[in-house]
Structure formats: C-alpha cells, structure tokens
Amino acid sequence: MELIIFLAIGALAGFAAGLFGVGGGLIIVPLLYVVFTQMGYGPEIVMHLALGTSLATIIVTSISSLMAHNKNGAVLWPVFKNLTPGLAVGSFLGAGIAGLLSSAKLQLIIGIFALWVAYGMFMGAKKMVEQIRVLPSAAKQVCAGTGIGIASAIFGIGGGSLTVPYLNHYGVRMQKAVGTSAACGLSIAIAGAAGFMFFGAQEKVEIANSIGYVHIYAFLGISSMSFFTAKLGAKAAHALSPQMLKKCFAGLLTAVGCYFIFQGVLTVSV
C-alpha cells in the first residue's frame, strides 16, 4: 500500500514539475507530510523527512523535465551557468538551517512563502511579457542563486517557486522561465538532498529505511514514476498560454500555502 501511495505521489509531482518547472516539491512535501505522519514518524522529524526526501526525488524529476524542455529550446543555458554555483552552495546551507527549525515553524514559513509567491504570480499573469529584457550581471545572478538555493532547501522544493518569478520579473517568457527553472532545480536538488542526508546523520536520529532525512523507499517510488509524468507536464506547459500557466501556478501555490499555515497553527496550538 505504501508503494502505491508513493507511486501516486510521484505521478502527480512529476506532472507538476514538467508543467510549472517547480520540481514537484510543492506537491511532494505536503503529501509526504501526511503519509509519514500516518506511518508513525514523530512530529519533531516528520517535516524534515518530507523536505529531505522531496529534494532527493527532485533530482530525477528535474532530469526528466529538463530533457523535455530542452527539446523545445526553452532552457537558457547561460543563465543556468550563472545561477548554479550559488544554487548549490545555498541549498546545502539551507538544509542545515532547516535542521535548526521546528516542524511547526517550517510549516508556517512555507505556507506564508507559498501565498506570497502565489500573489505575485497571479498579478503577473495580467501582464503581457514576451521579450527578454536585460538580466542582471553574472555576479548578481550568483548572489540571487544563493538566496534561491537557501530558501529552496528550507522549503524542500526545486526552486521553481523563486526561479520562475525571478526570471519572469526580468521579462523572460513564462515557458523559458519554466524550462530554465527545471535545469536549475537539478543543482538545488543534488546539493539540498546531500545536505539533508549529512545534517540528518549528524543529528543521529534513527529513521527506518532512511539515510539522514531522506526516506529511501519513498525516494525510489516517487522518482521512478515522476520521471515519466514530468515529460507529459512539460508538453502541456508548451500548449498553454503564459497567462494561463501563471494562473494555474498561482492556484497551486495558494492551496499549498493555506494547507501549511493551517497545519502550522494547529501544531503550535496543540
């Protein structure tokens, strides 16, 4: 039964990764939180386990999504090259920061963040942006990548929630922003997952079938299915208008944000 659940999560997360360029973490984290809680993991580690496992699965999802978007010429490789150093360093450090926060605080932070990004993306959907403006210098992109990496690891996501709005702000068309975000998600996922495994092991918390804060069975089940469905999501992304894609993205973020704020408040009040 657990394997079927992990496969189902992978199918949904993969499609979302290809469609929105978010790596699927915005779906994986809340679903894993529910599943791991039902599996009996303690409240003090369940959120960290969901975050670490999410980042590990995004490694595979990002590869699939990246390949699909690259075929459509939607990956801005020079931008990827500039963002990657900061993304890798930032996401590893972010995993360490997340380990210092309680599950309730992580839930509230993620919920508020998701709603903030959703608002920005929904408002941005009203703007018609088709041409690429001048992006910041390479040095500024590295700095931006570091900030995105830290936040992405704390939130257990592939960075699309920040990378997509960041690129879109500078006039990058939505499809190209999503495609480039998928490439950047690979760097974030590798460094972030490594960080959660490392810092989780340092805490010496005994979790069955896990390496640090990465659940091996969940990783295998989710990543194996998401690899295939990410391609379907990427195909759908290029069939939608940029404005519709932004609205769908904002709707997903709103739902996730409300869920985590509710869970965070509930945990604090108990």
Side-chain angles (χ1 to χ4, degrees), residues 220-235:
L220 294 175
I222 295 172
S223 60
S224 61
M225 181 61 74
S226 64
F227 181 84
F228 298 102
T229 57
K231 296 178 181 179
L232 298 176
K235 185 177 180 180

Side-chain angles (χ1 to χ4, degrees), residues 36 83 105 145 147 208:
F36 287 154
L83 290 175
K105 289 180 179 179

